[in-house]
Amino acid sequence: MLGTAGFGVASLVAGIAPGVAVLLAARVAQGVFAGLMVPQGLSFIHTEFSEAEQGRAMGFYGMTFPIGGLAGPLLGGLLTRADLFGWHSPEPVRSSTAVTPAIRSQ
């Protein structure tokens, strides 16, 4: 949960960043907390799926990385291009996708 919550907070900070220095610091924090989420996902698969289901779950888990790698920059570019909130547009999406699982796990 630390990785997810930290990523959400860092995304919120990036979304309200008054300038480039705060934005860069928040993006670094996003990277650190995103790194913490990887073992969380793997441990979830290990504990919540039976041994017979773990292979399929790992397949879906592995499939999300290339999809995210393609969809993330595309959606971020579209949101930035739409200029809904200036250059901050993609950040509320990141923070909401991180906060929702944190709230649901409580």
Side-chain angles (χ1 to χ4, degrees), residues 53-79:
E53 297 173 317
Q54 284 182 9
R56 185 172 182 205
M58 287 298 293
F60 280 111
Y61 178 81
M63 184 176 60
T64 61
F65 285 99
I67 291 171
L70 290 171
L74 176 65
L75 292 174
L78 289 172
L79 286 170

Side-chain angles (χ1 to χ4, degrees), residues 7 27 30 63-81 87 89-91 93-94 97:
F7 184 82
R27 294 291 286 154
Q30 281 179 322
M63 184 176 60
T64 61
F65 285 99
I67 291 171
L70 290 171
L74 176 65
L75 292 174
L78 289 172
L79 286 170
T80 303
R81 178 82 179 204
W87 57 270
S89 294
E91 300 305 330
V93 174
R94 287 189 194 110
T97 58

